[in-house]
Amino acid sequence: MDARGLVRSVRVVGAARGARAVRSAWRRRRADAAGLPRQRAERARVPGRVKSAEPQPGGGVIRFERSSLRVRVAAGGAVFCGWDGAGPEPSYALAHQVPAADTRAQLEPDKDGGWRVVSERMLVTVSRHGAVDIRTPGGVLLRREMPPRWWEPEGEERQEPPEGEEGHEGPEGPGARWLVRSEVTPDARFFGLGGRPGGPRLRDGTYRLWNTGPGPSGTDRVPVYVTMPVQLVVADAGTHLVFHDNSWDGEVTLREGREGGGSGHDRPGRCAVRVSGGPLRYWVIAGAPARVLYGWASLTGAPALPPRWALGHQHGRWGFRDEAEVRRVAAGYRERGLALKALHLDIDHLDGHRVFTVDRGRFPDLPRLAAELRGEGVRMVSAVDPAVKAERGTAVYDSGSAAGAFVRDARGREVRGVAWAGEAVFPDFTDPLVRKWWSGLYAERLAQGFSGVWHGRNEPTSFAAFGDPTLPLSSRHALEGRGGDHREAHNVYALTMARAGHEGLRELRPQERPFLFSRSGWAGMQRYGGSWSGEVATGWAG
């Protein structure tokens, strides 16, 4: 960031918070310099020639000179492909354990020394060098995956998993980073990759896969709050969805194809997926669009059904000064005969922006206000951010610190960032015990009369004068007991926070459907609630 940008950032967030943002950015840079593996010379690797194949229920394992590919067709027709011993689990995206295999799918030899898996809804052919074709049962090509390429540190002995076992999928797992190039039919069109300012249709370009909050200026950012490596590809030959189940930082480069109009000069559509680490594994679902979307919901979970009142008009903004202004806004709707079902209070109603608190001076009796509004058919919804002010003597920080709930660095110290409340710490929602602790805190929101919550700044975002506005990449996370760092945990942070909130609301009020939505998320977010647009400009462009 240049000097002008630094001054602008400090002006927006305030001098004191701006100074903290500068210190936080330097602190994060030092933490990563000490806690991340040092860059070393790398060597490229490709699968090599096919050596053997082992049939298994629903498919099998095809072994190459320097890698292996597991192909498995699930009972619902979705196809899983995992390289280097990668299996479908553990996964934050899947709604349940891996679906049962389609026992009718069979692995059998193909021409030129390759192999194929034949199933009712899809034909998967694997060449002798590791190219993977996804075809309709009639043999029409939908997608061609070229042999993947890995880059790994030189001089490092790579351990092949024993036959019948899956490889390690932690942050130091096989393949420090990888690339897969694909081709689709010339008429194919791309959709997906999460929330994008330009809409769901994806034009030619490169899209980063890293959940990112707004900078101090509050302007639109690309990448955006919700990214996920999911592509829906629509073509005359058929529709298919491909999901690369990997939460590490990456990017997808797309180029639409071109039809030659019968001249024979067709150009296929192209896709390149690059990811900085973690397992190379993906799911493919093919069929009519409705069947594909149903298959996706079967794999990652059906959307949470909201309470009935949440289907009505809702009013939310920053800047409700006090209870009187909330009443005035609600009265304005009534006087004009406009429907209103919910009013959202942002973090400005909190005591010094501290989560799970109330500014008693401006909102002396929130339960009474909520009861009045509810009598008029209007619910109140509260903002909940993950950042907890690092201040001893406050209930949330003290209880979280005692429980070891906050993200720590490589030396075991609490990682500090900067939020609206000041210097802050961040719960590690990838730890089941931390999710349980956090879910109980929503009792305070319910006691204040709120009927739902919305999560913000949960990419997670920390004010930073320069660099990436998030936690240090070297920060340690539980990752359900596997252990790892923020490179793997970042994109699923909001998803696991949503899980904690949803489970807490269900347990605290089992007779009511939870209402929860989130600024950030990842694949499977729909199981716990929806997402909102985040900070936008109020104008036609916004």
Side-chain angles (χ1 to χ4, degrees), residues 409-429:
D409 64 17
R411 295 171 60 182
R413 303 169 300 184
E414 291 177 353
V415 171
R416 300 291 177 94
V418 179
W420 287 109
E423 190 163 87
V425 291
F426 296 79
D428 181 8
F429 297 113

Side-chain angles (χ1 to χ4, degrees), residues 116-179:
R116 64 179 182 175
V117 176
V118 182
S119 70
E120 181 181 1
R121 296 180 184 172
M122 220 178 304
L123 172 64
V124 182
T125 62
V126 182
S127 78
R128 67 179 185 273
H129 292 291
V132 180
D133 286 359
I134 306 295
R135 298 177 179 270
T136 68
V140 177
L141 181 66
L142 298 176
R143 185 181 195 91
R144 171 166 292 155
E145 303 272 351
M146 306 306 176
R149 184 180 294 268
W150 294 266
W151 285 265
E152 50 192 22
E154 284 187 354
E156 202 169 83
E157 282 295 322
R158 197 178 68 85
Q159 299 294 325
E160 281 280 3
E163 292 198 18
E165 294 186 16
E166 295 175 357
H168 176 60
E169 295 179 13
E172 311 302 332
R177 57 190 180 97
W178 50 261
L179 163 68

Side-chain angles (χ1 to χ4, degrees), residues 84-106:
D84 262 2
E89 295 176 327
S91 169
Y92 281 106
L94 302 184
H96 37 64
Q97 287 191 328
V98 181
D102 181 357
T103 56
R104 295 169 295 180
Q106 300 293 325

Side-chain angles (χ1 to χ4, degrees), residues 138 162 189 214 229 240 257 324 444 456 496 541:
R189 297 296 175 257
H240 73 274
E444 183 273 342
T496 51

Side-chain angles (χ1 to χ4, degrees), residues 353-410:
H353 299 142
R354 297 173 180 86
V355 67
F356 299 117
T357 64
V358 176
D359 184 335
R360 301 290 181 180
R362 297 184 298 119
F363 295 88
D365 196 348
L366 265 181
R368 179 181 176 184
L369 173 63
E372 288 178 12
L373 293 174
R374 191 161 182 167
E376 299 163 359
V378 180
R379 309 291 183 115
M380 284 202 321
V381 179
S382 170
V384 174
D385 287 2
V388 175
K389 185 168 185 178
E391 182 178 45
R392 296 199 178 278
T394 56
V396 178
Y397 176 74
D398 286 349
S399 66
S401 186
F406 303 121
V407 175
R408 297 183 177 271
D409 64 17

